[in-house]
Amino acid sequence: MDRLMCLHAQTGSEPIEVLVNGVPALRLPAGAGSQSVTVHEFLQNGSNRISLVVAPPLAQAVAAPDAPPQPRLATRATQAQARLVLLRQGKSLADEAVRVLAEVSWAVEEGTSFDAPTAVHRDLELPVAFPRWRWLDAPVLTPGPQDRHAVLAALQRMAFDLSRGNPDSLLAACALRLEEVDQAYQRPTGHGAAALREQVQQLWKDGVLATLQPPTADTLLLRAVAGGRLLECLHPVGTPALASQNDDAKIGNVAWPLRLTLIEGKVYVLR
């Protein structure tokens, strides 16, 4: 693939989250500077939306998604920005040939009040030749107790297996996602699955997965994204539910964001 579509976000003194077509693609804490990710698997032919959310709610607020925004006073002037760009493989964002496809920005002056969270959107049309991703046609979910039970059981199995260096349950749940990501970046079929298996085995050898604890009913939060078609699995602190918790910086940590659907009680990770 010669060209890549990347999402580049930057922020000052406020945390931000950037969503592509309603799916979280990037999250930055306050003062984090900037970060970029490729986003082919979140885009579709035709209408697309980039959303910049400033001061996104804490994960605990997922249980009350209709809570009204609260006023916040800016103690300093700050701004945030997200850009969807097209660049050649191997080139940097500073390259003169980088093409900006869409940009959404926000700014506030010192001493000014603003709503937290605040969302700014930018709609754009893209003539892309991607397949129609499965998550776009997933059913809208209203998860009940049985659905939560199914998701929790699946995540606990993945965490248990991963802590022992076994990626099979994660690979099985992510099979459709891995297949579509291979298509999105024109990689050989099976490339993503092989890379994930190799990553897990290396992390286990390095001791990174030893602290990966299975989520519990008290620590698993399910956030509806993509218009309710996917459920994002989160820890109460806002991190992915499937993540290691090493205190030793030399060992490091790993987290697997999971956005899934449920069909006949079975979990399918689609993003």
Side-chain angles (χ1 to χ4, degrees):
M1 176 167 284
D2 183 50
R3 293 177 182 269
L4 295 172
M5 280 183 281
C6 296
L7 182 68
H8 177 72
Q10 59 185 37
T11 187
S13 58
E14 291 293 336
I16 63 170
E17 182 177 48
V18 187
L19 300 92
V20 179
N21 290 325
V23 183
L26 193 60
R27 194 175 182 113
L28 291 175
S34 64
Q35 188 177 337
S36 301
V37 293
T38 53
V39 289
H40 292 207
E41 65 270 37
F42 302 112
L43 298 169
Q44 62 178 333
N45 184 49
S47 300
N48 292 268
R49 168 169 281 196
I50 310 298
S51 302
L52 171 65
V53 182
V54 179
L58 297 174
Q60 291 91 330
V62 171
D66 297 325
Q70 298 298 314
R72 180 179 296 186
L73 189 68
T75 58
R76 67 183 71 177
T78 189
Q79 60 183 358
Q81 181 188 73
R83 295 190 302 163
L84 180 66
V85 302
L86 181 67
L87 75 163
R88 289 190 179 277
Q89 184 108 254
K91 298 294 184 179
S92 75
L93 290 166
D95 191 275
E96 293 181 357
V98 169
R99 179 184 172 192
V100 178
L101 303 175
E103 182 176 312
V104 57
S105 58
W106 171 89
V108 66
E109 295 297 327
E110 180 180 354
T112 302
S113 180
F114 67 96
D115 283 342
T118 288
V120 189
H121 309 283
R122 172 66 190 276
D123 296 324
L124 71 154
E125 295 287 323
L126 287 175
V128 293
F130 298 142
R132 183 166 179 83
W133 308 126
R134 291 181 179 92
W135 68 268
L136 292 166
D137 297 316
V140 174
L141 300 170
T142 307
Q146 288 186 330
D147 298 321
R148 285 189 54 85
H149 182 276
V151 173
L152 180 59
L155 264 63
Q156 287 177 339
R157 168 52 58 185
M158 292 179 210
F160 179 86
D161 291 345
L162 288 168
S163 68
R164 286 154 177 77
N166 180 1
D168 289 348
S169 55
L170 178 62
L171 285 168
C174 296
L176 298 179
R177 173 189 176 274
L178 293 168
E179 173 191 316
E180 290 191 333
V181 172
D182 283 344
Q183 293 178 330
Y185 298 99
Q186 298 179 7
R187 297 167 182 159
T189 301
H191 176 276
L196 180 54
R197 180 178 294 278
E198 183 179 345
Q199 178 198 29
V200 169
Q201 292 173 346
Q202 187 60 54
L203 289 168
W204 182 72
K205 291 178 182 177
D206 294 341
V208 178
L209 302 180
T211 59
L212 203 159
Q213 298 295 321
T216 67
D218 293 331
T219 63
L220 176 62
L221 295 178
L222 297 180
R223 173 194 183 193
V225 298
R229 294 187 297 275
L230 296 177
L231 297 175
E232 184 177 34
C233 303
L234 297 172
H235 188 274
V237 298
T239 55
L242 202 60
S244 62
Q245 301 174 33
N246 295 306
D247 294 327
D248 190 342
K250 293 181 180 179
I251 297 178
N253 280 297
V254 65
W256 284 282
L258 302 176
R259 293 101 186 199
L260 54 84
T261 188
L262 282 158
I263 299 177
E264 297 181 352
K266 188 174 180 179
V267 169
Y268 296 89
V269 177
L270 299 184
R271 284 298 173 267

